[in-house]
Amino acid sequence: ALRPAMWQPAERWRPLDEDLHAMVFVVSCAVHAVLHDFGLRADCFVGQSAGELAALVAAEALSFEDGLDAVLARTRAVLALPAGDHGAMAAVATSARALRSIIDGLDGVWIAADNCPTSALVSATTAGMARLAERCASRGVEVTPLHVSHAYHSPVIAEAGAAYRAALEKLAWRAPVRAVLSTVDLERYD
């Protein structure tokens, strides 16, 4: 799944969603493996997006191969969406709480991730992102566009859900050996 093109010199490499999501997943799994090899054991796992699938692998609910298949299936389902406004994503240098007040009343803008007290990600339609950038600039809040093909973690890609669910149903799921918390609702996976 990780293409040889990824190992090209930096000036020749083009980031593709399939590669980026797979890299996040693989690196997350590798970090867990290294920590595990050093004797560190977690009581619970949590991750966001591809990291949530890596958390399921760390908890042995999925094999590494099935986890990678899930990451790629999600990305391919999104990339197969029909032409149209696929939206955009950006990092916003503020808390998710403050961001909620900034996006209040803006159509087509959603909080995609609450990274830390000083950074959150947004997904938006193209028009929504332009309105958000204007509003943030007027408040002195930095917005950094992300180089992605779609507004992941938003209603913009909702139509990809059926294909992704179908791919997930084909995987060999097991009960996790450690707790895994969903980043959507903080409920435990069973």
Side-chain angles (χ1 to χ4, degrees):
L2 297 177
R3 289 189 265 263
M6 290 175 47
W7 313 117
Q8 300 281 336
E11 63 275 2
R12 291 181 37 207
W13 186 71
R14 287 189 174 77
L16 301 173
D17 286 8
E18 304 100 304
D19 296 334
L20 295 174
H21 297 160
M23 285 190 301
V24 167
F25 172 79
V26 169
V27 168
S28 297
C29 288
V31 167
H32 170 262
V34 168
L35 294 174
H36 189 270
D37 286 351
F38 276 100
L40 296 171
R41 302 294 184 266
D43 293 327
C44 139
F45 295 102
V46 65
Q48 198 271 331
S49 191
E52 192 159 6
L53 290 161
L56 289 163
V57 170
E60 301 178 29
L62 276 176
S63 69
F64 174 82
E65 294 78 11
D66 278 352
L68 185 56
D69 285 346
V71 170
L72 294 173
R74 183 194 66 172
T75 303
R76 290 174 181 149
V78 169
L79 293 176
L81 289 171
D85 180 6
H86 293 143
M89 293 184 74
V92 183
T94 192
S95 68
R97 174 179 277 161
L99 185 56
R100 281 185 196 83
S101 69
I102 293 171
I103 69 172
D104 186 44
L106 287 179
D107 289 333
V109 181
W110 306 272
I111 296 176
D114 180 357
N115 286 341
C116 68
T118 59
S119 177
L121 296 182
V122 293
S123 289
T125 61
T126 302
M129 188 62 74
R131 289 189 300 272
L132 173 67
E134 289 172 7
R135 190 174 282 186
C136 286
S138 73
R139 297 179 185 199
V141 176
E142 183 180 346
V143 176
T144 304
L146 302 179
H147 300 286
V148 295
S149 64
H150 291 71
Y152 283 88
H153 312 294
S154 77
V156 172
I157 64 163
E159 289 181 35
Y164 183 45
R165 280 188 292 283
L168 291 176
E169 289 172 3
K170 295 177 185 175
L171 303 179
W173 293 91
R174 299 179 294 272
V177 298
R178 298 271 192 279
V180 179
L181 299 179
S182 166
T183 56
V184 175
D185 56 16
L186 292 179
E187 293 293 320
R188 288 173 67 130
Y189 284 90
D190 293 322

